[in-house]
Amino acid sequence: MKFLWGYPGGAVLYIYDALYKQDAIQHVLVRHEQAAVHAADGYARATGEVGVALVTSGPGVTNAITGIATAYMDSIPMVIITGQVPTPAIGLDAFQECDTVGITRPIVKHNFLVKDVRDLAVTLKKAFHIARTGRPGPVVVDIPKDVSVARTAFSYPDRVEMRSYNPVKKGHSGQIRKAVQLLMTAKRPYIYTGGGVILGEATSELRQLVDLVGFPCTNTLMGLGAMPGTDPRFLGMPGMHGTYEANMTMQHCDVLLAVGARFDDRVIGNPKHFASVDRKIIHVDIDPSSISKRVRVDIPIVGDVKDVLQELIAQIREGQARPDAEALNAWWNQINDWRKRDCLAYKQSSEVIKPQFVLETLWNLTRERDTYITSDVGQHQMWAAQFYRFDEPRRWINSGGLGTMGVGLPYAMGIKLAKPESDVFCITGEGSIQMCIQELSTCQQYKTPVKVVSLNNRYLGMVRQWQELDYGKRYSHSYMDALPDFVKLAEAYGHVGLLVEKPSDVEGALREAIRLKDRTVFLDVRTDPTENVWPMVQAGKGLSEMLLGSEDL
C-alpha cells in the first residue's frame, strides 16, 4: 500500500498520529470524505491494486457512504478504515457515533468491527484478501478509538484462510467443453463482455479468443478497452446508448458468450423483449449469484474469467471443430449492413460547440499518448463512451452501476497520483463538477495536475433529455440558472481556467491544456444545450426499438 486518502477526526487521531511517525505511506488530505473514497476507488480502477481510504466516525462515515456504494456496484477492490467511538460507548448515542456496520452492510462485500487490538492485524489482512479475491468489492474495517490506542505484540500473517470464504477460481472443464461445442456450431455468434474482463485481467485472453474465432464483440460501459475500440471486430457499446449494430447483433444472435457481465437493465433493455428471440447463452462469471439472475442461461460457468478463457481457447485449439466460415461471413455481412446506419453521426456546426466534437477532438489529440479518461455521470459520460475509442483496459474510469455524479475529479486525482507521467482528463458537466469541486484544492496541495473538460450546456443534460422525450418537454428544475464563473473559480484554487465558446477554439484549448503539463487546467466548454445522446433505448423498450435521433420521435 503506497497511498491513503482520508480526513481526520476525533475517533481516528491515534491512527493519524501513527501516520505522522512514518513515511512509507503517502496520505492525501481530501476536502470531503466522499472524495477520499472516490479517489481511492479511481486509483484501484486504474491500477488493479486495492484502494484504501480512512475516515472518522459518525459524519465521516456517512459522508463516505456514497463512495462505498459506488465501489460496491462496480465491484472495485477497496478497504475503508473507519473510526468508531470507544467500545464502552458503542450503542449509547455517543458524540459522533453511528452504527457503521449496520449502515454499510448492504453496500459492502464484508465489514468488520474490531473489538480487540489482538485481532486488528489479522482483520486487516482478511479485509485486503476479501476485497481483491473472487468478485472484488469494498470491505469496511471499523476501529473503535480505544482499540486504535491499545498495544499488543505485532504479528501480521503472510496469508489467511477462511472456511466461509473460498471463491471458485477454476471453471468446470465439462461446462467449458459444452461451451466450445455450442460456439463452434453457432451461425450468428456474439461475444459480450463486461467489467469482469477488466477486473479479472483477462483482456489478453479475450483478444486471443476473438483472433481465434473471428466473432463480433461488444464491451459494456464498464468493459470498454477490453477489446480495442479501433478494432473492426468491435461493434461499440451495447445497451441504452449503445450503437445500432451492437444492439441489433445482441438481439439477433443465436449464441451469446457473456463474460464478466451481468445483463443489467441498461444493457439488455426490456428482459421480455430480449427473451423473445431464441438464442443460447453461455455465461462466465466469478460470482454464481450473477448467473441466471436476469436472464435464463443455458451453459453457466462459474470461475475466474481469465482461467476460464484460457481453457476455452486451449480446448478450441486442441479440438477439430472450427466456426462455420460461410455462416459467419453471412453474419458479418448483416452486421456491416447495420453499421451503414452510422448511428453516431451528428450535425457539426460552425456556430455552436457540439459535445461529440469535443470528444472526437480529444481522442485525436491523445490517441498516441498514455491517457486516462475519467467521467462524471450524465450525457457527457455517454458521449465519452461513444466517441473516445479506448484501445487499452483501465483507461476509462467511470461510475456505471450507481451512476454517481461527482466522481470524475476525485477519480482523476487518485489516478494522477499513481500515474504521474500520464495525461489524466476528467470529462464532466457543470452539474456533476460542482458535487466535488472542492477537490481542486487537493489537486493544488498535492500537485496532481489533471485536466478538467466541462461540457457546460447549462442543464442537467440527461435529466433534460428524459424530460424532453418522456415528460412533454416540462423541464422541471433541470436548468442551472446561477452558475459560477468557472474560469475565475479555477484561478481562485490556483489553477488555469480557459473559457471555450467557439468550435474553432476547441482544438487549441485542448492543446494548451496538454502543453501545460504541470498545471491543473479547467476548460469551461460552452456546448449546445439542445443536443441529445443518440441512439437511445427508452425505459421499457427492447434493444431493437432504438431511437436513432429526433426524427424517430
Side-chain angles (χ1 to χ4, degrees), residues 8 17 20 165 171 248 271 345 371 385 399-400 460 494:
D17 194 47
Y20 184 83
Y165 179 70
M248 293 298 282
T371 305
S399 168
L460 297 176

Side-chain angles (χ1 to χ4, degrees), residues 31 54 72 112 137 204 244 291 348 397 423:
R31 302 313 188 247
L54 170 62
Y72 177 72
F112 296 93
S204 174
Y244 182 74
I291 295 178
Q348 184 55 283
I397 314 295
D423 295 326

Side-chain angles (χ1 to χ4, degrees), residues 429-450:
E430 78 289 347
S432 284
I433 192 62
Q434 293 187 87
M435 295 275 184
C436 282
I437 201 165
Q438 73 283 344
E439 298 311 314
L440 286 173
S441 175
T442 312
C443 291
Q444 177 70 354
Q445 180 173 343
Y446 293 92
K447 306 304 178 195
T448 49
V450 302

Side-chain angles (χ1 to χ4, degrees), residues 7 93 149 268 404 420 486 489 520:
Y7 203 97
D93 294 334
V149 71
I268 66 166
T404 305
F486 287 108
L489 189 57
T520 289

Side-chain angles (χ1 to χ4, degrees), residues 69-102:
T70 301
Y72 177 72
M73 286 291 281
D74 290 342
S75 305
I76 305 304
M78 292 190 65
V79 171
I80 300 92
I81 299 169
T82 60
Q84 184 54 277
V85 300
T87 48
I90 292 176
L92 299 179
D93 294 334
F95 177 68
Q96 290 194 334
E97 181 193 0
C98 71
D99 178 7
T100 299
V101 169

Side-chain angles (χ1 to χ4, degrees), residues 17-46:
D17 194 47
L19 285 170
Y20 184 83
K21 300 170 185 175
Q22 59 81 51
D23 58 7
I25 300 169
Q26 180 181 348
H27 177 276
V28 177
L29 175 65
V30 296
R31 302 313 188 247
H32 191 286
E33 290 90 350
Q34 179 178 339
V37 184
H38 287 330
D41 180 355
Y43 167 84
R45 292 175 194 246

Side-chain angles (χ1 to χ4, degrees), residues 12 48 63 147 149 158 235 244 267 401 420 450 455 467 477 537 552:
V12 290
N63 280 348
V147 173
V149 71
D158 291 330
L235 304 190
Y244 182 74
V267 168
V450 302
L455 303 180
Q467 288 173 336
H477 301 282
V537 178
D552 285 345

